[in-house]
Amino acid sequence: MTDHQHAAPGPGPRPGSGPGTPAAEPSRAGAGKEGTAGAPAGAVDPGRHFRRDRRHQMFGGVCSGLARQYDMDPVIFRITLAVLSATGGIGLIFYGFAWLFVPYDDEDENQVRRLLTGRVDGHTLAAVLFALVGCGVFLSMLSNDGVLSFAVILSLLLAGAAYWSRRRGTPSPDPIAAQAAADAPPEPQAPPVPAAYPSWWREPIVKDGTYVGGTGYLWGPEDSRDLDIATAVGVGVRSGSGGAKDVWRPPQARPPKPAGPRGIGGWVFLFALLAAGLGTGLTWETQPLGTSLQTGLACALGVIGLGIAVSAFLGRTGAGSIVLAVLTAGLLAGSTAVPDDIGTDWTRTGWRPASVAQIRPVYDLGAGEGKLDLSAVRVPAGDTVSTQVEVGLGRIHVIVPRDATVRLHVEVGLGDIQVPGDGRKDVDVAPGKYKEMTLEPPPGAGKAGTLRLDLRVGAGQAEVSRAAS
């Protein structure tokens, strides 16, 4: 018996197989059924990647895909992501980006790739809007520590439950079945199906040596039957038989492509500007600056979203509309940071109380320039008078009495602070300025009480000076 006869497998049992030797076929059958050798029915394959589920989807199939991946009820993910969307926007951000970057279980191409190649459909636009709205809600909730803490804790609880559910469904490895699966020969596979049309790398030269066909596409195979650049410019090729004879093939004109629908990006931009101006104008006189800007930008974003949806149905959505939607959403999120005390009217006002009784507890100025003159006030010795000035946007100048001790507390979100004794008159604009000090009366002044002065400016300048007499 030759070595080939020893090596050739026969119809009988394999050499070395006996009652005590595990067979490879049962383990392979079990592996083909569940994807893991020896895995029981219903167990989650630990090597399977996360994919969106098309059959049980409600929007993008993200929650149903997570439920299948971690062997949980999809309602748990849907309720949790809905709560996270309302409390901080984290749910919308996660769902939108998962919708964009995770493909379906029966596809290998995600929505981002479709978006970058210009194939924009309703699913891609919905995923982008989910992510944009989630980012806007998240930025508006950055100052709310309680809501963000709740969202983080809920996210960690959901992640822990998913991890426990996945580990619970993972079977313990069977060393005998694993060894049998490793020793089993690879399964035979069917030969690849030939393409309907020859590709650029397949059979460019026929048997007699002549060059036939094109070298293929330079960017993106729209159709393998299309002419290549060499054929389009009419490059001469040399025949491989007999004499040197150049054969020139004239370029063949491609059939004209049908004209697609006209883009509506310009009209969308125009209507968005009109909506922004209308929304801002209707609330300019009655609402603060931040609320008025939010109203106008929200109207513009709604018009842009409607335009993107209409253009998606028409089959023509330009990248400019997407960029415009992103910029508008960013401006809308930034407008939420504008303080509510900043008004839309720029006013010039002044206050000049003549006695302690006429001093108000709070002086409020939304936007403009104000002057508080306290030079005529005489604070009795041993008494303390307090007042506060709040300015959203603008400049405030306070003149304190000459003989009073002033305990000063100044906060400027963005701007400049000028107090007696600085020795400079230039404006130094910086964010987050703060100053707390005590101004003693000059030598020779009479005895007087104490004035507590609290100045708060959102953006602008706060100046304090002492009366000359």
Side-chain angles (χ1 to χ4, degrees):
M1 184 177 293
T2 63
D3 296 338
H4 295 284
Q5 292 174 342
H6 280 292
R14 297 176 57 189
S17 62
T21 304
E25 295 301 327
S27 63
R28 288 176 57 194
K33 181 179 180 182
E34 297 295 337
T36 306
V44 179
D45 184 6
R48 184 176 61 193
H49 297 286
F50 168 47
R51 291 290 188 271
R52 293 187 289 128
D53 189 5
R54 189 189 296 272
R55 293 179 56 193
H56 306 93
Q57 66 177 357
M58 292 189 64
F59 293 103
V62 176
C63 293
S64 55
L66 288 171
R68 185 182 58 184
Q69 177 75 11
Y70 295 103
D71 193 19
M72 295 175 64
D73 192 341
V75 178
I76 298 176
F77 290 98
R78 288 166 182 162
I79 294 177
T80 307
L81 289 180
V83 174
L84 291 176
S85 301
T87 57
I90 300 177
L92 288 175
I93 296 175
F94 173 80
Y95 200 96
F97 280 100
W99 197 347
L100 285 173
F101 287 96
V102 179
Y104 279 116
D105 48 6
D106 55 352
E107 294 180 353
D108 293 330
E109 189 178 39
N110 55 21
Q111 299 295 330
V112 172
R113 187 173 180 181
R114 294 177 182 270
L115 181 64
L116 294 178
T117 54
R119 293 170 292 170
V120 181
D121 54 6
H123 288 274
T124 306
L125 296 177
V128 171
L129 290 179
F130 269 52
L132 289 178
V133 174
C135 291
V137 176
F138 178 75
L139 292 176
S140 64
M141 291 291 181
L142 285 178
S143 59
N144 196 334
D145 298 335
V147 173
L148 292 181
S149 301
F150 170 77
V152 171
I153 294 174
L154 185 59
S155 302
L156 294 177
L157 290 176
L158 180 61
Y163 178 78
W164 173 81
S165 178
R166 184 177 177 87
R167 297 296 298 177
R168 175 179 57 86
T170 303
S172 58
D174 188 356
I176 299 178
Q179 183 64 31
D183 295 339
E187 296 183 1
Q189 298 181 358
V193 180
Y197 303 101
S199 301
W200 63 272
W201 65 85
R202 190 176 295 129
E203 299 178 359
I205 302 176
V206 297
K207 294 182 180 180
D208 59 355
T210 58
Y211 180 81
V212 178
T215 58
Y217 46 83
L218 294 178
W219 185 266
E222 295 183 359
D223 194 343
S224 59
R225 293 174 295 181
D226 291 346
L227 297 177
D228 64 334
I229 187 172
T231 308
V233 299
V235 177
V237 294
R238 185 176 299 276
S239 174
S241 61
K245 182 180 180 181
D246 292 338
V247 179
W248 181 81
R249 296 183 178 87
Q252 300 180 6
R254 295 186 180 181
K257 296 183 179 180
R262 299 180 60 182
I264 60 173
W267 290 103
V268 171
F269 179 70
L270 178 61
F271 283 118
L273 285 180
L274 293 177
L278 183 61
T280 304
L282 291 177
T283 57
W284 186 262
E285 299 292 338
T286 58
Q287 299 294 333
L289 178 62
T291 305
S292 181
L293 293 177
Q294 293 171 28
T295 304
L297 291 172
C299 294
L301 187 60
V303 171
I304 294 171
L306 182 60
I308 291 176
V310 172
S311 61
F313 282 105
L314 295 177
R316 182 70 178 272
T317 301
S321 301
I322 304 298
V323 174
L324 184 61
V326 173
L327 292 177
T328 307
L331 293 175
L332 179 59
S335 64
T336 59
V338 178
D340 294 336
D341 55 354
I342 297 180
T344 57
D345 293 333
W346 189 269
T347 58
R348 297 177 181 269
T349 184
W351 305 278
R352 187 180 175 85
S355 61
V356 174
Q358 296 180 1
I359 297 179
R360 302 180 191 174
V362 178
Y363 292 90
D364 191 6
L365 179 62
E369 298 183 12
K371 182 178 181 181
L372 177 59
D373 190 355
L374 302 176
S375 58
V377 176
R378 294 291 180 265
V379 182
D383 291 349
T384 301
V385 179
S386 300
T387 186
Q388 180 177 341
V389 182
E390 295 183 356
V391 179
L393 176 65
R395 181 178 182 272
I396 184 64
H397 181 201
V398 181
I399 302 176
V400 297
R402 183 175 183 274
D403 54 355
T405 302
V406 181
R407 299 190 182 276
L408 189 62
H409 175 86
V410 186
E411 290 184 8
V412 177
L414 177 64
D416 179 50
I417 299 176
Q418 292 187 0
V419 295
D422 283 348
R424 59 178 179 82
K425 296 300 181 181
D426 57 331
V427 178
D428 184 15
V429 178
K433 282 203 167 187
Y434 171 84
K435 184 169 290 188
E436 187 170 0
M437 59 186 304
T438 301
L439 302 178
E440 299 292 342
K447 293 184 178 181
T450 303
L451 175 65
R452 291 183 178 271
L453 185 59
D454 189 1
L455 302 181
R456 301 178 186 271
V457 180
Q461 185 185 43
E463 180 182 358
V464 177
S465 61
R466 190 177 288 276
S469 58

